[in-house]
Each structure stands twice: as structure tokens, then as C-alpha cells.
Amino acid sequence: FIGLTLCAAAQAQQAPLARGDLAVAGVSIEITKLERIPNQKVVEMRFTLVNGSAQAVSLAALGLERQYITNRGTIGSVDGIKLLDLANGLSYSPGIDGGYSISSRWSSPESSSIAPNTRRSFWVWFGAPAAGVTKVSIYPPGAAPLLDLALGGK
């Protein structure tokens, strides 16, 4: 059991693929996974938002939330972030299925914010660039793009 615990702890502390500051002071993004999904025309990105400030911050304030009004209430999901294929001059928004972003979702207002001094992880799917593209950039709203990230998977 000790070996499994140490292995899990080591995996949890792996360095992110990229890190950048967002538009709100003290808040940053860490890209933790950026890979093509096998046999699909999709790229999965996993990322963590780090709120190092003393105040809660909403995903809407970061430009990263889209809200949908349904008969069951309001649903929020990741939106606003772009995957860029700079070599070919293309930009990809989060995929849409049934009118909703294909991404992390939440249904309570409390879930659309990040508490002070905490980390919160999300995922989002994008359409995949052409097969030969091996580097992409990520453009969070209101922040500098994270450039030349290796696109994993096949």
C-alpha cells in the first residue's frame, strides 16, 4: 500500500505542460493534458485553475463560463478558451453537442467559482487540427496565449 500511495502522490505532483497568468490578479491556469483522442477527431484538454488570491473568483469573471437556461435550472460549462493552430491560422472553440459545450459542467452557482487559495480542475474537448499538426497554442480569455504546446496522442 505504501508503494501505491507514493506512486499516486508522484503522479499528482507532475509538472504541468504549461502555466500562465489569467486576467484576474493571482489566478493562473495549468494545462495538465493536451491529447488527441484515438480514432476520433477530437482533442481533450485538462487544466487546473489556481486561485492564489484572497478572494473567490467566478469562472464568468475569467471569461471561462457559458451558462445555459434549461427547464431544470441554469447549467454552466467551460467556454471562452481557444485551441490555436498557428501554423495553419486556425482557431478551435470548445465542441458543441446538443447546444452545450462538451466540457466540465455544473448546476449550482457555488460551483461556478473558485474559492481563495484553492485549485480546481476542468476538462474540455475541441475539434482536432489536421493529422500532421504536432504543436498548438492555448488562448485563455483576456490573457497571453500559451504557445507551442506538444499535442499528444495519435
Side-chain angles (χ1 to χ4, degrees), residues 1-2 4 7 23 27 38 40-41 45 51 56 59 63-64 69-70 74 80-81 89 93-94 99 114 119 130 135-136:
F1 292 110
I2 293 172
L4 291 175
C7 182
V27 181
Q40 303 296 319
K41 294 181 180 180
M45 182 177 84
N51 182 2
L59 275 85
L64 289 170
I69 307 300
T70 72
T74 302
I81 197 161
S93 296
I114 304 165
R119 306 166 61 84
K135 297 241 182 209
V136 295

Side-chain angles (χ1 to χ4, degrees), residues 57-59 65 67 74 76 106-114 120:
V57 64
S58 72
L59 275 85
E65 179 181 32
Q67 291 188 347
T74 302
W106 48 89
S107 59
S108 69
E110 298 80 27
S111 297
S112 67
S113 67
I114 304 165
R120 186 157 166 218

Side-chain angles (χ1 to χ4, degrees), residues 22 26 31 50 59 79 81 115 136:
L22 296 179
I31 309 300
V50 181
L59 275 85
D79 199 28
I81 197 161
V136 295

